């Protein structure tokens, strides 16, 4: 019962009302207008550093690709020179084999007036 009495007593206790006095309105010419900044100085610095790092890495990457392309071009030029030289060597070896046949040598010798003297012929063992 005492608990019910307490509950009942609290219901009738009224707290005093606090009245607020409104602050005086600031004069428009005296107060500077404060604008909220979108980014702080630290954030701006970090952003600039990040952009500079990305630009630096991009330049380094482009330079590396450029030097790689130059080396690849040089390799291709050397390979084409090697292929051309190998082709010339093959053609020259074919000419040597054609010009070193027995019939051709015998024809040139007889053309120049040489004759076969079997007494001067020396037989060399083959390879």
């Amino acid at each position: 019962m005492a608990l019910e009495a307490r509950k009942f007593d609290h219901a009738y206790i009224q707290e005093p009302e606090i009245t607020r006095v409104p602050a005086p309105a600031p004069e428009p010419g005296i107060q500077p207008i404060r604008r909220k900044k979108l980014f702080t100085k630290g954030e701006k610095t970090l952003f600039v550093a990040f952009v500079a790092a990305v630009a630096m890495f991009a330049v380094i990457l482009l330079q590396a690709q450029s030097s790689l392309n130059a080396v690849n071009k040089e390799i291709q030029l050397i390979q084409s020179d090697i292929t051309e030289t190998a082709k010339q060597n093959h053609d020259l070896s074919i000419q040597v084999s054609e010009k070193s046949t027995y019939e051709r040598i015998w024809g040139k010798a007889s053309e120049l007036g040489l004759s076969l003297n079997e007494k001067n012929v020396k037989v060399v063992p083959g390879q």
Side-chain angles (χ1 to χ4, degrees), residues 17-67:
E17 242 181 75
I18 299 174
T19 58
R20 294 189 180 181
V21 177
E27 296 179 20
I30 296 175
Q31 289 269 342
I33 300 173
R34 292 185 183 178
R35 294 184 182 171
K36 187 176 180 181
K37 292 184 179 180
L38 191 60
F39 297 111
T40 63
K41 284 185 180 182
E43 289 172 339
K44 289 178 185 177
T45 305
L46 286 175
F47 181 72
V48 168
F50 177 73
V51 169
V54 168
M56 183 181 68
F57 287 132
V59 167
I60 289 172
L61 181 66
L62 288 175
Q63 192 273 335
Q65 287 292 330
S66 173
S67 63

Side-chain angles (χ1 to χ4, degrees), residues 4-119:
E4 289 180 16
R6 277 189 183 171
K7 287 181 184 176
F8 185 70
D9 288 338
H10 284 289
Y12 287 108
I13 296 175
Q14 293 183 356
E15 293 185 15
E17 242 181 75
I18 299 174
T19 58
R20 294 189 180 181
V21 177
E27 296 179 20
I30 296 175
Q31 289 269 342
I33 300 173
R34 292 185 183 178
R35 294 184 182 171
K36 187 176 180 181
K37 292 184 179 180
L38 191 60
F39 297 111
T40 63
K41 284 185 180 182
E43 289 172 339
K44 289 178 185 177
T45 305
L46 286 175
F47 181 72
V48 168
F50 177 73
V51 169
V54 168
M56 183 181 68
F57 287 132
V59 167
I60 289 172
L61 181 66
L62 288 175
Q63 192 273 335
Q65 287 292 330
S66 173
S67 63
L68 184 65
N69 285 340
V71 169
N72 282 338
K73 184 177 180 181
E74 187 176 336
I75 288 172
Q76 287 177 351
L77 289 174
I78 291 172
Q79 285 178 343
S80 67
D81 288 345
I82 290 171
T83 304
E84 185 66 31
T85 305
K87 184 189 278 186
Q88 288 175 354
N89 287 343
H90 182 69
D91 291 343
L92 291 174
S93 66
I94 289 173
Q95 286 180 4
V96 166
S97 65
E98 286 175 354
K99 291 186 178 184
S100 64
T101 60
Y102 180 76
E103 292 82 20
R104 184 181 175 284
I105 293 173
W106 181 254
K108 274 287 190 185
S110 61
E111 203 177 279
L112 294 172
L114 298 174
S115 62
L116 180 62
N117 187 357
E118 290 190 24
K119 292 180 185 176

